[in-house]
Amino acid sequence: MTRSMTRYMTHNAVLALMLSCWTAVPVAAVANIVDAQIPARAATEAPSSDDPALSQDAVERELDRFHRTEVSLNQALRIAEKIHPGSKTADISFEGGLDVPVYKVRTLQSGQIWESDIDGATAKVLNSVLFSSVEGLSESDRNSLAALDAVTLKMSDAIKIAERSAAGRAISGGLVSKDGKLAFIVVVVCGKDLKQVTLEPTSLRRR
């Protein structure tokens, strides 16, 4: 049974406390940057446990593994997009709790969503499968993907801006759509801290 994409695309949105600033970029975008410590356990899906310390330890181990992973988020993104030429990344995240560190990337191409697993150590493509058609998603997700297709800012651009603005290394990126406006949500690891950068594209592609 197909999982809802809403949770996948917005799983980092709960981290937000935002400070507004302007960042000059090749494509106009408003960048809202979280410049405050965020509890690490909120960044990834730690195993459920009655002991919060155990969950926190699991997340810290995952973040430590991320620090030791040679492949970057943007490298994994580029690899996934090459599998289906012309596709655009809608969501990407790091999973360090598996046997090998993996980037899970979902890309949009011609009304279809593909999910690819990229090895964080070797950059090899471990898996690439059709996740869903756009028509099979919720209205909110369809709106987000339609907006993604209409803007010139790409996920790779958003990741670069976020890493430069937050002075760290991106661990995930996703989309949110509110009141018809698209935003890129990028979570950046800065040492043991996490920062969220929200970018709102202001330039639409002319059709």
Side-chain angles (χ1 to χ4, degrees), residues 85-185:
S87 63
K88 285 187 174 183
T89 296
D91 196 286
I92 179 170
S93 61
F94 175 79
E95 292 192 9
L98 305 175
D99 292 338
V100 295
V102 169
Y103 289 100
K104 287 193 171 291
V105 192
R106 287 188 179 171
T107 53
L108 169 68
Q109 182 198 49
S110 302
Q112 294 182 316
I113 305 297
W114 296 87
E115 180 175 278
S116 303
D117 292 348
I118 311 300
D119 191 316
T122 66
K124 292 182 179 179
V125 178
L126 302 177
N127 190 32
S128 185
V129 298
L130 179 63
F131 171 76
S132 174
S133 66
V134 172
E135 287 77 8
L137 303 176
S138 68
E139 181 179 0
S140 174
D141 291 335
R142 290 198 303 271
N143 291 340
S144 294
L145 294 176
L148 175 65
D149 194 46
V151 298
T152 53
L153 188 71
K154 298 182 293 185
M155 183 68 73
S156 57
D157 299 322
I159 290 171
K160 290 176 183 177
I161 296 167
E163 290 182 330
R164 183 172 65 246
S165 300
R169 186 180 174 198
I171 192 171
S172 67
L175 304 175
V176 292
S177 180
K178 184 177 181 181
D179 299 328
K181 295 182 179 180
L182 177 74
F184 291 86
I185 305 292

Side-chain angles (χ1 to χ4, degrees), residues 26-30 147-148 150-153 200-206:
V27 181
V30 177
L148 175 65
V151 298
T152 53
L153 188 71
E200 299 176 358
T202 59
S203 177
L204 293 178
R205 181 187 300 128
R206 294 181 180 179

